[in-house]
Amino acid sequence: MKIRAAVLYEMGKERPYDKSNPLVIEELELTKPEAGEILVKIKAAGLCHSDLSVIDGNRPRQMPMVLGHEAAAEIVELGPDVKDVKVGDHVVFSFMPICGHCMPCMTARPALCENGAAANNKGVLLGDGMRLYKQQQKIHHHMGVSGFADYAVVSRRSVVAIDKSLPFDIAALFGCAVMTGVGAVINTAKIQLGQTVLITGLGGVGFSALLGALAAGASKVIVADLNKDKLAKAIELGAHEAIDSSEENALEKIRDITNGGVDVGFEFAGVVQALEFTYNATARGGKTVTAGLPHPSKMMQLAPVKLVAEERTLQGSYIGSCIPARDLPAYINLYQSGRMPVEKLMTHKLTLSEVNEGFERLAKGEAIRQVITSF
């Protein structure tokens, strides 16, 4: 079938993106779903910094590629052997396809699925297939999703069925921003009631972590960023303190507020300096969790003696250490009960044709979550 999609042919194009247009909107051929796959109609897709990191070359991927990994959709066709979902079901994507039988999957750590990671790195679906073509040229899949299109063929292992009453534009946010940010708080850090928290980097994931920390019962949530508008927005959403991390005494402020440092620091900026800032803001015995993704060549400096003598923990978090089939319905329930107002993170709704303007806005730091709702 013919579809309309946003294709990236070249990483590292110069900004502004609304002038250089790194994503090309064009007609592609989408082949039918094969065994274990489904055809979905994309209803909403969020613009995430991880997509931007592919566009600017900080996270190299196979080219050409249809981007988009945070999305919600409706199933329109089932491939052979798919029996546990049905046509008409609403789904949210998990950008880590979960095979279910590798060692990480069998030990309840599907975020580290070996087969899913291999497929994502190659730009193919779980099972090694490619379903996107332009004439005879194969087009790669982004994170098993390729959500910047009106239709997609994906692995059944890349979706979670959700409550049909949830609006698609809200549902899309759960596929990355909420899953990663709230998951980092709940699953990776295992926040305990009354702990103090620092969140560095206020994008969609950072703001989701803020909502998750408040819902989990953190006694004090401090946010740090360079953008004063985002700091003000964080206070509006319930943060107790907001710190401009570029200020010379920013670390001292955090230590004064918390009598020595926070119990848990979260870094979502994807910048090494932000990770170092967050690590240094934690107390003795504290934990630092990062879900940021700087360029693979970037390194941080760490004094092992401090790590040991102060019993600190530095831990990575990928897709919020989530088990998507378990966690996404739970997080959606928190939203539906009014305890996690993720709708307040949505700042713009776009058409597919406006995707380059949206990424320029994201690169400028002028948006939290933008969602494509018209394809």
Side-chain angles (χ1 to χ4, degrees):
M1 64 183 290
K2 300 293 185 183
I3 67 166
R4 191 166 180 260
V7 186
L8 182 69
Y9 286 95
E10 176 187 351
M11 294 179 288
K13 277 199 170 184
E14 291 186 0
R15 291 180 54 201
Y17 296 131
D18 55 348
K19 303 298 182 185
S20 61
N21 294 317
L23 290 168
V24 181
I25 311 301
E26 59 187 3
E27 187 177 82
L28 300 179
E29 182 71 25
L30 181 67
T31 59
K32 292 178 69 66
E34 298 190 6
E37 298 173 353
I38 58 175
L39 170 67
V40 298
K41 180 174 178 57
I42 305 292
K43 295 289 191 175
L47 275 61
C48 176
H49 202 278
S50 294
D51 300 302
L52 182 60
S53 294
V54 179
I55 292 171
D56 66 19
N58 273 315
R59 200 166 185 214
R61 293 287 180 184
Q62 302 288 338
M63 296 290 111
M65 175 176 279
V66 174
L67 291 191
H69 68 283
E70 178 186 86
E74 180 179 351
I75 298 176
V76 296
E77 184 180 339
L78 304 178
D81 303 327
V82 177
K83 298 177 181 178
D84 58 341
V85 290
K86 60 185 182 298
V87 171
D89 280 354
H90 294 185
V91 296
V92 168
F93 292 93
S94 165
F95 59 87
M96 172 58 77
I98 295 166
C99 76
H101 56 260
C102 68
M103 187 57 67
C105 284
M106 291 192 295
T107 52
R109 302 191 71 186
L112 302 180
C113 176
E114 294 169 350
N115 294 312
N120 283 356
N121 288 335
K122 291 170 63 177
V124 300
L125 300 181
L126 189 68
D128 221 30
M130 298 178 72
R131 307 287 172 255
L132 292 165
Y133 296 86
K134 182 182 179 183
Q135 297 173 349
Q136 301 301 314
Q137 183 182 22
K138 291 183 177 181
I139 309 293
H140 293 88
H141 300 262
H142 186 218
M143 311 297 281
V145 180
S146 291
F148 296 159
D150 51 0
Y151 288 87
V153 167
V154 300
S155 168
R156 164 64 185 92
R157 300 287 187 171
S158 290
V159 301
V160 175
I162 60 167
D163 182 351
K164 286 187 177 182
S165 69
L166 187 67
F168 283 111
D169 56 349
I170 300 297
L173 303 180
F174 286 85
C176 178
V178 176
M179 181 162 58
T180 301
V182 178
V185 170
I186 302 298
N187 297 324
T188 312
K190 296 180 172 60
I191 283 289
Q192 298 177 20
L193 190 67
Q195 285 189 311
T196 57
V197 168
L198 169 67
I199 296 168
T200 305
L202 292 174
V205 176
F207 274 108
S208 295
L210 165 61
L211 298 180
L214 293 170
S219 64
K220 190 177 290 293
V221 181
I222 304 167
V223 294
D225 201 282
L226 306 177
N227 187 308
K228 294 191 185 326
D229 291 337
K230 290 184 176 181
L231 292 173
K233 179 69 173 179
I235 293 293
E236 178 187 323
L237 289 176
H240 302 100
E241 303 281 350
I243 303 291
D244 183 339
S245 53
S246 67
E247 293 182 1
E248 188 175 343
N249 62 342
L251 280 173
E252 286 72 19
K253 283 185 179 180
I254 294 171
R255 292 179 185 133
D256 288 344
I257 292 167
T258 56
N259 295 316
V262 295
D263 296 313
V264 186
F266 296 93
E267 185 274 316
F268 301 112
V271 178
V272 170
Q273 293 92 328
L275 178 55
E276 291 173 340
F277 175 87
T278 306
Y279 179 79
N280 289 324
T282 58
R284 289 166 57 87
K287 178 182 291 187
T288 304
V289 174
T290 176
L293 291 166
H295 191 278
S297 65
K298 301 297 182 182
M299 300 291 173
M300 75 174 287
Q301 290 189 334
L302 185 67
V305 66
K306 192 173 184 179
L307 190 71
V308 174
E310 298 185 5
E311 287 199 349
R312 293 172 177 268
T313 302
L314 176 60
Q315 186 171 2
S317 177
Y318 194 60
I319 71 166
S321 306
C322 280
I323 300 175
R326 175 197 68 187
D327 294 336
L328 286 177
Y331 299 164
I332 289 169
N333 184 61
L334 281 174
Y335 162 73
Q336 291 174 323
S337 66
R339 295 175 59 194
M340 206 163 67
V342 301
E343 80 281 357
K344 294 182 180 179
L345 307 184
M346 196 183 314
T347 54
H348 301 79
K349 292 186 180 181
L350 313 175
T351 66
L352 183 62
S353 298
E354 296 172 318
V355 66
N356 287 303
E357 289 89 337
F359 276 112
E360 178 57 25
R361 191 180 294 117
L362 181 61
K364 288 179 178 177
E366 296 176 351
I368 300 173
R369 252 326 181 250
Q370 305 172 84
V371 180
I372 298 170
T373 56
S374 176
F375 295 87

